[in-house]
């Protein structure tokens, strides 16, 4: 058990406890036992078990998530700036992929009982490729991997990314950018 000795001390931004004040509950969570609500615009739900929700993970360098997918649901393109992710399919079948910094897409179907790795920091996605719900468990080599959704970063930033910058980068008209932005309310 790697817990800090001083109650007022923080490590990695999270409070440390005196060993005599640590309980087994700080190392336990049932959060991944239950499916998330996939009734949303993308048809997926991510339930995290990281240091923010499971204090016993502080300093251990690991975390997990459960991802539930409605039929044809998508976990949209995103990155984890602080972790590599390995996904294990519990139910169903997923189309998954990541894009290298050279612009090459590595993609394939991953079925129940199979795994796939997404290297740290690379843009990746998962899509349920079937008409029934699917579920997966993701493991990370970080207690707090971070997640940055590409769509939210580009179209829902506050203050907003300038429309002319996005129009030029995406090689589309500014009206197209504004139409996309209207679907993502600012945070």
């Amino acid at each position: 058990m790697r817990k800090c000795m001083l109650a007022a001390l923080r490590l990695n931004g999270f409070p440390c406890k005196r060993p005599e004040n640590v309980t087994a509950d700080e190392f336990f969570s049932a959060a991944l036992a239950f499916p998330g609500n996939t009734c949303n615009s993308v048809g997926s739900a991510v339930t995290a078990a990281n240091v923010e929700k499971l204090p016993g993970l502080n300093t251990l360098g690991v975390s997990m998530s459960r991802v539930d997918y409605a039929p044809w649901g998508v976990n949209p393109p995103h990155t984890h700036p602080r972790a590599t992710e390995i996904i294990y399919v519990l139910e169903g079948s997923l189309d998954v992929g990541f894009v290298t910094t050279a612009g090459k897409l590595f993609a394939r179907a991953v079925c129940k009982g199979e795994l796939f790795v997404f290297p740290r920091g690379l843009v990746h996605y998962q899509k349920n490729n079937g008409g029934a719900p699917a579920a997966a468990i993701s493991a990370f080599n970080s207690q707090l991997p971070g997640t940055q959704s590409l769509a939210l970063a580009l179209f829902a930033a506050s203050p907003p990314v300038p429309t002319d910058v996005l129009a030029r980068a995406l090689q589309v008209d500014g009206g197209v950018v504004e139409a996309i932005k209207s679907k993502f309310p600012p945070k």
Side-chain angles (χ1 to χ4, degrees), residues 47-83:
T47 306
N50 58 40
V51 70
E52 294 176 327
K53 298 181 179 160
L54 190 56
L57 291 176
N58 197 16
T59 75
L60 299 182
V62 295
S63 60
M64 298 177 81
S65 291
R66 175 184 175 131
V67 188
D68 292 285
Y69 308 85
W72 314 110
V74 173
N75 189 1
H78 61 282
T79 67
H80 302 290
R82 295 182 293 274

Side-chain angles (χ1 to χ4, degrees), residues 133-153:
I137 296 290
S138 292
F140 303 93
N141 65 338
S142 171
Q143 68 182 19
L144 194 60
T147 301
Q148 184 168 37
S149 162
L150 268 62
L152 294 178

Side-chain angles (χ1 to χ4, degrees), residues 88-112:
Y88 175 80
V89 179
L90 293 170
E91 273 311 315
S93 179
L94 304 175
D95 289 330
V96 304
F98 66 86
V99 180
T100 69
T101 56
K104 182 174 181 180
L105 173 66
F106 286 87
R108 66 163 291 140
V110 182
C111 299
K112 180 179 179 176

